[in-house]
Amino acid sequence: MTRRVSAPRIARRVRRRIAILAPALLAIALLGGCAAPGAGGSSAEATGAPRIVVTTNILGDVVSAVVGDEAEVTTLMRPNADPHSFEISAQEAALLSSAELVVSNGLGLEEGLQQHLDGLAGDGGDDGNAADARLLTAGDVIDPLPYAEGDAAGTPDPHFWTDPARMGDVVDAVAERVAAIDGVDPERIAERAADYRAELAELDAEMTTAFDAIPRDRRALVTNHHVFGYLAARFDFRVVGAVIPGGTTLASPSAADLRELTSAIEQAGVPAIFAESSQPDRLVQVLASEAGIDVDVIELYTESLTAPGEGADTYLTMMRANTQRIADGLGA
């Protein structure tokens, strides 16, 4: 979606027949089934299936693709949430301690859940081995890049999913750990992991083709905050800067930060700057307006999947949508 710097129009729908549908929906919910993102669910207990809990919805989608129906996957982070600040209920926190496997992003991303993850890591006694067997931190199985600039410069960047190759490393680690869970068919897990790795390779090829068509002098990215370091390294982009000069959306830019970024945008001559769909783009619009340049503000899906039908309800869909929008925004 491309917007000029102006206030968006907001369309509203009124859904009817809620009272009629509610009993039916309640009945369906009571029957069980796969746990929805952000929901605890009870089907694992009912069926005896192993339970895997995943913190972020991007990882939750990937883990679900690998696991299939071999285990119950519960994703804590709801669609369109901010991974830096989302929190969980007491019931959801209890799921972390009872799951056969917990998959987290790590590298400081889940700031609102860090105390729960730290507690889980400390549940294995003096050596922590029992807890380590149940906790898979994706950031530990990839080759992390440091932030190049901003307040977080030099610290590990947790946004590795913008590089499909690194997500492939996560798929391999997930498959290995899930295959070791009692009651899971290792051969089936290996098959599903191989299938998903093939899809990641296809995605990587599509992104390479799309980005190769962008003139080299226009491969410059400006975003809400630093989230595209891995994509830039993989596909030869320059990260001109970010409105929030750090690795978290919880920080705020200073007037000096905005002036410095405005100068960088003018020097780079970028035709578009990018705002994250899960974050308000007001700051990006203000920046574009103050820069005094004719620039588009383009929304990308960067840190969260959407609800079904909203444009980025799977990791693969999200990456393809972003690829197309970046290529269109920066293309000649």
Side-chain angles (χ1 to χ4, degrees):
M1 177 187 298
T2 302
R3 296 194 232 175
R4 290 290 176 180
V5 183
S6 60
R9 298 178 57 189
I10 302 175
R12 298 185 179 180
R13 290 184 177 178
V14 177
R15 298 185 182 274
R16 299 180 177 179
R17 306 193 179 208
I18 294 177
I20 297 175
L21 290 175
L25 292 174
L26 178 60
I28 292 173
L30 292 175
L31 289 176
C34 293
S42 59
S43 56
E45 290 82 352
T47 64
R51 183 187 292 281
I52 299 171
V53 176
V54 189
T55 56
T56 71
N57 55 42
I58 292 175
L59 281 177
D61 175 67
V62 174
V63 171
S64 295
V66 174
V67 170
D69 58 3
E70 291 296 315
E72 180 79 12
V73 178
T74 299
T75 301
L76 299 178
M77 178 180 161
R78 291 167 176 77
N80 299 309
D82 183 345
H84 296 277
S85 60
F86 84 100
E87 298 180 351
I88 57 177
S89 66
Q91 179 184 11
E92 290 166 338
L95 292 178
L96 292 171
S97 60
S98 63
E100 278 78 6
L101 180 65
V102 174
V103 182
S104 69
N105 188 96
L107 302 179
L109 182 75
E110 301 103 330
E111 297 171 71
L113 267 66
Q114 197 57 54
Q115 62 176 337
H116 299 291
L117 297 174
D118 290 344
L120 181 64
D123 282 345
D126 292 337
D127 58 7
N129 289 336
D132 290 346
R134 294 193 300 110
L135 180 61
L136 172 58
T137 303
D140 291 344
V141 303
I142 59 108
D143 180 20
L145 296 176
Y147 285 112
E149 60 181 36
D151 297 340
T155 63
D157 181 349
H159 306 95
F160 58 81
W161 59 84
T162 60
D163 176 1
R166 282 181 168 84
M167 189 61 90
D169 293 337
V170 175
V171 168
D172 289 343
V174 168
E176 180 180 357
R177 295 291 290 272
V178 173
I181 298 175
D182 289 341
V184 168
D185 183 349
E187 292 186 2
R188 184 59 181 145
I189 294 298
E191 291 173 358
R192 294 186 66 90
D195 289 344
Y196 199 78
R197 282 299 301 257
E199 291 194 67
L200 289 176
E202 182 178 350
L203 169 66
D204 188 88
E206 291 175 12
M207 294 175 70
T208 298
T209 299
F211 293 150
D212 280 351
I214 302 174
R216 191 164 298 277
D217 62 353
R218 295 170 71 98
R219 293 189 192 179
L221 296 171
V222 180
T223 58
N224 280 60
H225 80 290
H226 290 291
V227 72
F228 283 110
Y230 291 91
L231 183 145
R234 172 68 184 85
F235 299 104
D236 194 22
F237 280 83
R238 290 177 296 124
V239 178
V240 175
V243 176
I244 301 174
T248 173
T249 55
L250 304 183
S252 299
S254 66
D257 292 329
L258 292 177
R259 286 194 299 271
E260 182 178 348
L261 183 54
T262 297
S263 177
I265 291 173
E266 292 172 337
Q267 293 177 14
V270 294
I273 57 181
F274 300 96
E276 298 162 69
S277 63
S278 64
Q279 296 291 323
D281 62 356
R282 180 181 58 83
L283 281 176
V284 177
Q285 292 177 346
V286 169
L287 175 65
S289 178
E290 291 187 353
I293 55 178
D294 184 20
V295 63
D296 289 333
V297 176
I298 300 176
E299 287 187 1
L300 297 181
Y301 308 103
T302 57
E303 294 204 290
S304 176
L305 300 184
T306 67
E310 293 182 357
D313 54 356
T314 71
Y315 169 71
L316 297 173
T317 301
M318 177 190 78
M319 293 297 289
R320 288 190 168 99
N322 287 343
T323 297
Q324 187 63 53
R325 294 181 183 189
I326 292 172
D328 290 345
L330 299 180

